[in-house]
Amino acid sequence: MSQNLSNNAIIYATLALNSEIALQQEYLESSEVPEDERENEEEILEDLQQAFMEFVDLYKIRCKSDKELPDIDELLNSQL
């Protein structure tokens, strides 16, 4: 799979997942989550975090072969 994804696809997926994690965490911290849905919403957060870490790992591998890519910390702190 990693050979089929462009650097841009990995970057955008990583940034999108990072944003979704923040939104999901904010939602879980709010009083808006019905109690009967809390467990499901927490599982969604865990899935998002797992996917994010997989893309971060993939991005770090790409960084080793493409020295023009920004460091992961720089990428996550940038404004696109």
Side-chain angles (χ1 to χ4, degrees):
M1 178 178 103
S2 64
Q3 296 302 323
N4 298 330
L5 296 174
S6 70
N7 287 346
N8 283 342
I10 294 169
I11 288 169
Y12 288 123
T14 303
L15 293 174
L17 285 165
N18 192 41
S19 294
E20 285 301 312
I21 288 169
L23 290 172
Q24 187 69 8
Q25 287 173 328
E26 185 178 310
Y27 176 60
L28 282 168
E29 291 170 0
S30 75
S31 60
E32 298 175 20
V33 182
E35 196 55 43
D36 61 334
E37 293 181 22
R38 179 161 293 281
E39 184 176 337
N40 183 54
E41 294 297 332
E42 289 171 349
E43 288 175 5
I44 290 171
L45 177 59
E46 289 173 12
D47 289 344
L48 288 168
Q49 290 170 327
Q50 179 62 38
F52 174 76
M53 291 310 301
E54 290 179 23
F55 273 94
V56 167
D57 289 344
L58 186 56
Y59 184 79
K60 287 179 178 179
I61 291 168
R62 288 288 177 94
C63 282
K64 289 179 181 177
S65 62
D66 187 343
K67 300 298 182 190
E68 292 186 20
L69 290 172
D71 179 76
I72 188 68
D73 292 328
E74 183 181 337
L75 176 69
L76 294 174
N77 290 318
S78 68
Q79 299 276 336
L80 288 184

